[in-house]
Amino acid sequence: MQFFGGSEISPSPPAPTASGNNGHMMYVFNRNGVCLLYREWNRPLRTLDAQQDHKLMFGLLFSLKSLTAKMDPTSVVEKGNLGMPQLPGQGCSFHSFRTNTYKLSFMESPSGIKIILVTHPRTGDLRESLKYIYNLYVEYVVKNPLYTPGSPIRCELFNTTLDQYVRGIA
Amino acid sequence: MVREVSESCVDSLLTEMVACYCNRFYANKPELAARRIEAIGYQVGHQLSERYTMERPRFTDHLEAIKFICKDFWSELFKKQIDNLKTNHRGTFVLQDNKFRWLARMSVDPSIDNASSVEDNSAPTPENKAAQAMSMHLYFPCGIIRGALSNLGIPCAVSADISNLPACSFVVRIKA
């Protein structure tokens, strides 16, 4: 992956081990719940229309974060009631859940950008991959002079690099 | 000792400068915004050329000065040289950079390709607007080149051409 100045994007991406489409879909939300990006590579069953789908996904993650923070047996910090909005990084951070048909991996940046990647159930830990995708977001979206923060992402460079990268994730 | 600054910092500053001039100071007058941005580039180029030619002897002719811009000046600014230099030997030079650093992260809406072809020709199509937004960012480097050359005693006019991205060409026309 050639980035400017030959500098390594850190962290460096995990080496691609499998070929073909392992990623099913991806969502990117900002801290206000606006769905900045929804990409779909392999989704045979679609149950809701797009708006409902995005709201459901955002609500699900919000609840999961709340729940995992509240149920944390090791934390000594006094937590608010269930459902109280948390700052990114507060509480323990949940990073994935797995069902018999898919695995959902999640990452939240300190600025509130949430990246969700749905893959097949035998995928390993995708935390490094999600960090790399966040780096792609910074390079090709945030630094794109033609992009207004808070609006849906419509950057061709980002889409192509992302597709290429996800294709190589195990 | 060489002083350094973060590249992201400079990129963000340039982006904000262009956005500021286009959307706030000269909101509906893109030509005026372009001229202001180019004038800023002129000042910057003027001063940079002073600094980067400190140890060198005078340039013998126009071609030597243009070659200085292509090699040393461009390396100081962008860590690479101009990839291709063409001339018609009558005062026009074309400097081509195959991957211009300040355009490297710019990309447009991919859904533009599906735009209907029955658009009214007088209305700006999304493609034209994107091209115009991109060309706004090129007035600054054009000004830099013009400022650097005029400090070396070569008055000229510089324009940019982005017909095949990510390569970017700067056309320098020396005033007789």
Side-chain angles (χ1 to χ4, degrees):
Chain A
M1 187 99 10
Q2 185 64 29
F3 279 97
F4 241 120
S7 58
E8 274 294 311
I9 285 286
S10 71
S12 52
T17 50
S19 66
N21 298 330
N22 294 305
H24 293 188
M25 24 255 218
M26 185 171 116
Y27 300 75
V28 178
F29 292 98
N30 74 354
R31 64 155 30 112
N32 300 327
V34 176
C35 182
L36 299 179
L37 182 76
Y38 168 67
R39 278 194 81 79
E40 179 179 289
W41 298 285
N42 176 19
R43 188 177 189 175
L45 177 65
R46 217 164 288 142
T47 47
L48 301 163
D49 80 301
Q51 291 286 42
Q52 297 293 337
D53 189 51
H54 300 330
K55 279 197 227 171
L56 180 67
M57 183 57 77
F58 188 76
L60 168 74
L61 290 166
F62 183 81
S63 313
L64 271 175
K65 273 188 340 155
S66 256
L67 186 72
T68 50
K70 190 73 182 162
M71 300 272 292
D72 186 359
T74 61
S75 165
V76 296
V77 174
E78 174 58 45
K79 295 174 281 275
N81 292 326
L82 195 64
M84 219 172 75
Q86 306 241 317
L87 293 173
Q90 222 180 22
C92 63
S93 52
F94 114 90
H95 50 84
S96 63
F97 70 74
R98 195 202 309 253
T99 73
N100 58 334
T101 46
Y102 68 92
K103 177 176 184 181
L104 183 145
S105 307
F106 170 74
M107 186 197 89
E108 182 171 23
S109 78
S111 56
I113 300 290
K114 307 181 205 334
I115 304 183
I116 297 107
L117 189 57
V118 177
T119 51
H120 73 79
R122 281 174 306 288
T123 316
D125 187 11
L126 283 182
R127 269 180 287 185
E128 292 301 311
S129 303
L130 287 176
K131 279 200 206 144
Y132 185 76
I133 293 177
Y134 180 68
N135 262 315
L136 285 184
Y137 164 79
V138 167
E139 290 292 323
Y140 287 125
V141 177
V142 174
K143 291 188 183 179
N144 182 358
L146 303 177
Y147 172 73
T148 5
S151 63
I153 297 173
R154 291 197 208 289
C155 305
E156 192 164 349
L157 272 180
F158 179 64
N159 291 347
T160 25
T161 346
L162 183 67
D163 285 346
Q164 242 181 346
Y165 177 64
V166 171
R167 210 160 292 142
I169 295 180
Chain B
M1 191 185 78
V2 177
R3 296 195 303 176
E4 296 186 335
V5 73
S6 141
E7 195 180 346
S8 307
C9 200
V10 173
D11 280 348
S12 306
L13 182 65
L14 293 181
T15 307
E16 190 53 34
M17 171 182 79
V18 176
C20 215
Y21 272 93
C22 292
N23 304 332
R24 290 196 281 156
F25 298 167
Y26 297 102
N28 294 322
K29 299 171 244 177
E31 300 83 23
L32 285 184
R35 285 182 54 167
R36 275 312 284 145
I37 297 173
E38 212 260 355
I40 296 176
Y42 181 87
Q43 295 293 341
V44 173
H46 213 267
Q47 289 161 5
L48 284 180
S49 71
E50 201 66 67
R51 177 184 269 260
Y52 296 142
T53 54
M54 229 160 46
E55 327 255 297
R56 304 173 63 107
R58 261 174 185 252
F59 292 109
T60 43
D61 65 355
H62 293 178
L63 185 59
E64 287 303 311
I66 296 280
K67 278 169 32 179
F68 160 75
I69 299 281
C70 293
K71 295 196 188 146
D72 303 315
F73 193 74
W74 218 252
S75 311
E76 292 281 357
L77 285 185
F78 303 113
K79 296 199 188 130
K80 65 186 283 285
Q81 302 184 351
I82 288 277
D83 298 298
N84 205 346
L85 172 65
K86 295 194 274 256
T87 174
N88 70 351
H89 295 293
R90 275 199 288 272
T92 303
F93 296 87
V94 179
L95 287 65
Q96 185 180 337
D97 189 338
N98 287 337
K99 195 164 184 196
F100 189 49
R101 204 166 182 118
W102 290 342
L103 286 186
R105 295 185 177 88
M106 240 187 272
S107 56
V108 292
D109 189 345
S111 62
I112 286 178
D113 297 332
N114 305 329
S116 138
S117 57
V118 293
E119 293 252 3
D120 180 12
N121 283 338
S122 60
T125 67
E127 219 168 49
N128 284 351
K129 281 207 277 222
Q132 197 183 36
M134 282 181 135
S135 59
M136 272 303 180
H137 286 84
L138 288 171
Y139 286 112
F140 186 66
C142 286
I144 290 183
I145 298 177
R146 186 167 74 92
L149 283 175
S150 50
N151 199 24
L152 298 175
I154 305 173
C156 57
V158 184
S159 61
D161 167 30
I162 38 168
S163 43
N164 52 339
L165 287 168
C168 175
S169 303
F170 295 96
V171 183
V172 179
R173 287 185 191 84
I174 299 188
K175 296 185 183 158

